[in-house]
Amino acid sequence: MAFVGKKFPDLNVDAMNDMGDTFKLNVLEEAVNNKKKVVLFWYPKDFTFVCPTELHAFQAAIAEFEKRNTIIIGASCDTPEVHFAWLSTDKDNGGIEGVTYPILADSNRNLASTLGILDITNETFNEETGIVTVEGDNVTYRATYILDEDGIVQHESINNMPLGRNVNEYLRLIDALTHVQEKGEVCPANWEDGKDAMSANRTGVAEYLTANVN
């Protein structure tokens, strides 16, 4: 199920911060109550390989997101305790010490299931035993959501496990969304902040193509 153009699910989820505090976090409320955009990024597992590079990359860019009135939230299906153990492990040992944004601990998989981002390739019910078995790790793909200040999903994407994200692309998308909100123009292919956008009509596209496409 695609969530673009819809309200993000209204669910409270356990989360962990760098101080070792476990608390409830509602992604929709973070956007609406704080009047901020939100970037929520899911990763498969703590203490793995591509994952810490992404968490550190989002941390390195956090000031840029904050300048854009945007909150960063990480998420996986690990428990809060495992998150804190990883947050307490330094980079030299594959850890994410220094990450300051909250990390969802969706260990009951309520939110991940609602979003449909779990690695489940097949589900089988054995009528004799009553046991349900699944194929796949039942952890999340690298899914990313951008919410606007009203909690509406403006972007969602899903990468397979080996494919790390480019954090700069989410900065670009936030810039594009802000431009649309403030200027009422639409952002063409490869648009970046400071480049020409266009009016969403025939004249606008004709003028843009004439000026920018050889």
Side-chain angles (χ1 to χ4, degrees):
M1 177 180 177
F3 280 86
V4 167
K6 303 181 178 71
K7 285 266 189 186
F8 192 80
D10 185 4
L11 287 173
N12 295 321
V13 182
D14 283 341
M16 172 60 67
N17 63 23
D18 59 326
M19 302 301 292
D21 301 318
T22 301
F23 57 98
K24 294 292 185 182
L25 191 152
N26 184 308
V27 177
L28 175 63
E29 291 179 355
E30 287 295 300
V32 175
N33 293 348
N34 295 299
K35 288 299 174 188
K36 292 180 181 288
K37 298 178 177 68
V38 173
V39 175
L40 169 67
F41 73 98
W42 294 81
Y43 61 92
K45 298 177 184 178
D46 293 1
F47 292 99
T48 53
F49 317 113
V50 175
C51 297
T53 69
E54 293 190 314
L55 274 82
H56 284 299
F58 275 103
Q59 180 65 38
I62 198 164
E64 291 299 319
F65 284 105
E66 289 174 347
K67 285 195 298 187
R68 292 162 170 82
N69 196 42
T70 301
I71 298 169
I72 297 296
I73 302 172
S76 82
C77 296
D78 293 283
T79 66
E81 294 79 11
V82 174
H83 282 343
F84 187 57
W86 204 25
L87 283 162
S88 302
T89 304
D90 63 31
K91 294 178 184 178
D92 290 346
N93 289 301
I96 58 167
E97 186 178 34
V99 166
T100 59
Y101 50 80
I103 305 174
L104 298 185
D106 189 31
S107 55
N108 59 18
R109 291 162 170 74
N110 285 341
L111 183 53
S113 295
T114 300
L115 296 170
I117 56 173
L118 289 166
D119 173 23
I120 300 174
T121 55
N122 191 38
E123 190 170 310
T124 305
F125 175 69
N126 187 314
E127 293 185 0
E128 292 183 5
T129 64
I131 295 173
V132 176
T133 59
V134 298
E135 295 177 19
D137 286 341
N138 202 24
V139 298
T140 66
Y141 294 105
R142 300 187 192 283
T144 315
Y145 298 84
I146 295 177
L147 284 62
D148 67 15
E149 295 85 348
D150 295 316
I152 304 298
V153 178
Q154 297 292 333
H155 166 88
E156 64 179 313
S157 60
I158 303 176
N159 290 8
N160 207 349
M161 309 300 187
L163 307 178
R165 283 161 283 213
N166 184 335
V167 171
N168 287 330
E169 172 62 5
Y170 301 104
L171 289 168
R172 189 192 73 84
L173 287 168
I174 292 292
D175 286 340
L177 175 56
T178 302
H179 186 93
V180 171
Q181 291 172 326
E182 294 179 352
K183 305 294 185 182
E185 297 179 313
V186 294
C187 297
N190 299 325
W191 182 90
E192 295 176 349
D193 190 29
K195 290 187 175 181
D196 290 341
M198 62 187 187
S199 299
N201 53 47
R202 291 186 60 173
T203 301
V205 68
E207 289 176 350
Y208 177 84
L209 293 174
T210 300
N212 294 279
V213 179
N214 295 326

